[in-house]
Amino acid sequence: AHRDEAMLKLPDDMLSAMNLKVDPCDDFYEYACGGFMDHHEIPGYLTAISKAWETAKHTVMTEASELFQQDQGEVGAYYRACMDEAA
């Protein structure tokens, strides 16, 4: 019962990475990480991914792109020229 209560507090993305069909006392790694590959794909150019770093990278790239697009100075002009947008 205590374990079930603790499971309700976990974020959905963490739960989806788990394999709850496995007893954690038998194979903790499979229990904790066994569902990850069912919901994630490692791009062909990488040998591994870190979900935390991928999320951070996406956030930084998105925010930087928005700032560069709005910049009216040289940086914005350079960025837009490289992105095939009106410089």
Side-chain angles (χ1 to χ4, degrees):
H2 178 69
R3 185 174 123 184
D4 294 335
E5 291 173 20
M7 298 298 282
L8 293 174
K9 295 178 182 178
L10 293 175
D12 290 339
D13 62 337
M14 184 178 283
L15 282 172
S16 71
M18 298 173 75
N19 181 353
L20 301 178
K21 296 176 187 172
V22 173
D23 184 334
C25 295
D26 293 336
D27 186 345
F28 187 77
Y29 180 82
E30 179 62 25
Y31 171 78
C33 304
F36 184 82
M37 292 306 293
D38 294 338
H39 303 284
H40 299 87
E41 184 176 323
I42 298 175
Y45 61 91
L46 296 174
T47 59
I49 61 170
S50 169
K51 189 169 185 307
W53 286 112
E54 290 300 312
T55 301
K57 181 174 80 173
H58 175 73
T59 300
V60 168
M61 295 298 287
T62 300
E63 290 179 10
S65 176
E66 290 172 4
L67 289 172
F68 294 152
Q69 287 175 16
Q70 296 171 12
D71 185 273
Q72 296 303 308
E74 291 180 23
V75 171
Y78 183 75
Y79 176 82
R80 288 186 296 279
C82 291
M83 300 305 293
D84 284 336
E85 296 180 11

